[in-house]
């Protein structure tokens, strides 16, 4: 829950530290939009858009379309993923197509699919190679 102070900076910073947790045993399907962090230990499928960090925990299973600022996969993801940063941890698996700026895969992490560098990252690469 956000705590609102007199200054708008306080409300904004507190809202960004909130975390929505999908617990083990939960199953959700549909379209979801988050401004808070999202931690998934249950099952979700559908369209998930977040303006923050999405973590798929060790027991988490996410299928569908995911767009977020940063994504950390320690469980299972299948579908289309777009993010500035993607980390696949040692017990994580990503199956599908990803569009990202930065990718990190720990030893033991699995990725199967296609990858595309985000447009603004391509411009930076072209500028640095000149």
């Amino acid at each position: 829950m956000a705590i609102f102070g007199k200054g708008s900076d306080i409300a904004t910073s507190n809202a960004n530290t909130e975390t929505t947790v999908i617990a083990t045993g939960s199953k959700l399907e549909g379209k979801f939009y988050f401004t808070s962090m999202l931690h998934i230990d249950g099952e979700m499928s559908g369209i998930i858009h977040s303006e923050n960090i999405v973590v798929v925990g060790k027991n988490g299973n996410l299928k569908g379309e995911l767009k977020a600022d940063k994504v950390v996969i320690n469980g299972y993801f299948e579908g289309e993923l777009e993010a500035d940063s993607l980390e696949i941890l040692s017990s994580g698996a990503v199956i599908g197509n990803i569009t990202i700026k930065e990718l990190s895969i720990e030893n033991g992490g699995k990725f199967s699919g296609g990858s595309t560098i985000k447009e603004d990252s391509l411009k930076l690469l072209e500028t640095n190679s000149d």
Side-chain angles (χ1 to χ4, degrees), residues 32 34 36-38 40 47-56 62 65-73 77 80-86 99-102 118:
F32 303 93
F34 297 94
S36 63
M37 285 182 56
L38 173 63
I40 303 165
I47 298 171
I48 296 93
H49 290 195
S50 175
E51 298 174 12
N52 213 312
I53 300 169
V54 174
V55 176
V56 178
L62 177 57
E65 176 187 300
L66 173 60
K67 290 185 180 182
D69 216 22
K70 179 178 180 177
V71 178
V72 178
I73 306 290
F77 173 82
E80 302 288 322
L81 187 151
E82 182 178 332
D84 287 342
S85 173
L86 170 62
T99 303
I100 52 167
K101 286 183 185 178
E102 299 174 1
K118 277 187 147 184

Side-chain angles (χ1 to χ4, degrees), residues 2-67:
I3 298 171
F4 297 97
K6 291 182 181 178
S8 62
D9 291 342
I10 294 170
T12 303
S13 64
N14 286 333
N16 289 337
T17 61
E18 292 180 342
T19 301
T20 301
V21 177
I22 308 302
T24 302
S26 300
K27 293 182 182 182
L28 299 173
E29 185 176 333
K31 293 180 182 178
F32 303 93
Y33 301 91
F34 297 94
T35 55
S36 63
M37 285 182 56
L38 173 63
H39 186 100
I40 303 165
D41 278 323
E43 295 180 31
M44 286 186 81
S45 63
I47 298 171
I48 296 93
H49 290 195
S50 175
E51 298 174 12
N52 213 312
I53 300 169
V54 174
V55 176
V56 178
K58 217 169 199 170
N59 298 318
N61 186 322
L62 177 57
K63 294 181 181 178
E65 176 187 300
L66 173 60
K67 290 185 180 182

Side-chain angles (χ1 to χ4, degrees), residues 7 18 20 30 64 70 75 84 91 97-98 107 109 112 116-117 119:
E18 292 180 342
T20 301
K70 179 178 180 177
D84 287 342
S91 61
N97 296 313
I98 61 174
N107 193 20
S112 177
T116 304
I117 298 174
E119 290 282 327

